[in-house]
Amino acid sequence: MTHPTVLLSGVAKRYGAVQAVTDVSFVLNEGETVALVGHNGAGKTTLIKLMLGLIRPSAGKIAVMGEDPAIGDFSVRQRLGYLPESVAFHMALTGRETLAFYARLKRVAASNSLDLLERVGLSAAAADRPVRTYSKGMRQRLGLAQALLGEPRLLLLDEPTSGLDPALRRRFYDLLSELRSKGTTILLSSHALTELEDRADRVLIVNDGVTIADGTLDDLRALARLPTRISLKVHNSAGFGSSENAKVAWKLTGNATFEADVAMEDKIALLKEVTANPGDIATLHITEPTLDDLYAHFLNGGRARA
């Protein structure tokens, strides 16, 4: 029987009078990439620290690879990789020396350190330069390299693309895809919602220490029932919209270009109607609710609509 990589059940965490996490339950499965999203103070970093075993829950149960991460076998913690939001290294050490230091702490081989640095976009020349000469993006890449030491089965990444330019972000996500294909479970905590849309198998939205949504993008769209935007340009705009689906209010937004927001259940019928004569249409664009839209919906108390 396959066990989940991570299991949280009814987890709560209190710091004195502050309730950081109230009641959170979720499962992270092998080879799954999950986005953890929420505003600052929502409880994301506390959840990551709980999974790392750095702090213990006030209530509930946590199992990482079948063990309590705070008191379990050290071999489990060796299979964890963590990249914090703000990386901090000894500025006098080189990149190569930094990886060797963390490899000793983790009790894993450092023989592939140059390969790791190259995989995250740091050259051999950079490997032998002091970290104080690194840019923010280079330090971020070094942080990712240390997180990959020991071929982790669980990778916890907090704002991992901060400081990376678009080309390096693409390279970063290509690397995550490679790890995912080998069975690594990846949790991405990020505010960069747009770049997560096509890269996460599931989305967990937390607010005030509680999970308010959990599912695939399609699951969340079905729950939120936000409208789909349809935009089209017609060859002849005279009379357009007068006989189309009565539930839809078309707006003229440009030269022979019309736009309408349509309910999920009416989308297919409308598309069939407007494409009945394909020669009448110059362009057609369908825009589903984005992760930004869904996040705002659930954060503002949105629930499934009847």
Side-chain angles (χ1 to χ4, degrees):
M1 181 178 178
T2 302
H3 296 284
T5 305
V6 176
L7 170 66
L8 271 72
S9 178
V11 169
K13 179 61 182 178
R14 176 182 290 275
Y15 297 100
V18 178
Q19 190 75 36
V21 173
T22 303
D23 182 10
V24 172
S25 301
F26 61 76
V27 169
L28 304 180
N29 296 304
E30 182 178 343
E32 187 176 37
T33 299
V34 178
L36 177 65
V37 300
H39 64 272
N40 291 333
K44 305 188 303 298
T45 299
T46 296
L47 288 170
I48 289 175
K49 288 180 178 179
L50 286 163
M51 285 182 274
L52 288 167
L54 298 176
I55 56 176
R56 296 187 180 186
S58 305
K61 175 186 176 184
I62 303 175
V64 176
M65 289 172 261
E67 300 270 358
D68 181 335
I71 60 175
D73 191 270
F74 180 74
S75 63
V76 169
R77 292 194 289 278
Q78 283 181 304
R79 305 305 301 276
L80 300 180
Y82 173 49
L83 175 63
E85 179 177 0
S86 300
V87 293
F89 299 114
H90 195 297
M91 291 295 161
L93 296 179
T94 66
R96 190 200 303 260
E97 290 169 339
T98 299
L99 278 195
F101 170 76
Y102 281 99
R104 287 195 297 272
L105 284 180
K106 206 170 185 179
R107 301 179 200 170
V108 298
S111 56
N112 66 338
S113 59
L114 280 179
D115 178 59
L116 274 180
L117 291 170
E118 184 178 346
R119 288 174 74 192
V120 299
L122 288 173
S123 66
D128 292 317
R129 281 169 44 195
V131 172
R132 67 173 176 270
T133 68
Y134 283 17
S135 66
K136 179 182 178 182
M138 292 175 72
R139 290 196 298 272
Q140 193 75 3
R141 281 176 271 162
L142 180 59
L144 179 59
Q146 69 78 25
L148 296 177
L149 285 166
E151 299 182 353
R153 279 186 57 197
L154 173 62
L155 199 52
L156 303 171
L157 307 174
D158 198 352
E159 298 294 342
T161 59
S162 173
L164 301 186
D165 63 38
L168 287 171
R169 288 185 183 209
R170 180 181 295 274
R171 185 169 182 170
F172 164 77
Y173 283 114
D174 286 344
L175 176 58
L176 291 194
S177 295
E178 177 189 333
L179 294 168
R180 180 187 178 280
S181 68
K182 295 178 180 178
T184 302
T185 301
I186 301 167
L187 183 73
L188 285 164
S189 175
S190 178
H191 291 100
L193 303 188
T194 302
E195 67 184 47
L196 294 176
E197 282 197 19
D198 299 323
R199 297 179 171 101
D201 302 305
R202 246 173 66 222
V203 179
L204 283 165
I205 302 177
V206 294
N207 186 36
D208 293 333
V210 177
T211 305
I212 59 174
D214 179 2
T216 67
L217 207 55
D218 286 340
D219 290 337
L220 299 188
R221 284 170 177 155
L223 282 170
R225 301 182 66 80
L226 297 176
T228 298
R229 178 157 295 175
I230 297 176
S231 176
L232 53 86
K233 185 173 183 178
V234 295
H235 291 299
N236 183 7
S237 61
F240 178 83
S242 59
S243 61
E244 274 72 23
N245 193 310
K247 296 181 180 180
V248 175
W250 290 99
K251 295 181 292 185
L252 181 64
T253 59
N255 182 24
T257 301
F258 294 84
E259 189 177 272
D261 290 334
V262 57
M264 183 175 64
E265 61 270 21
D266 299 325
K267 176 176 62 178
I268 300 302
L270 178 65
L271 288 171
K272 285 182 177 178
E273 188 168 349
V274 298
T275 58
N277 297 304
D280 295 342
I281 299 175
T283 61
L284 173 65
H285 298 283
I286 302 170
T287 306
E288 299 288 359
T290 65
L291 184 51
D292 277 298
D293 297 329
L294 295 166
Y295 174 67
H297 170 80
F298 287 108
L299 200 65
N300 291 326
R303 294 291 185 267
R305 298 181 181 179

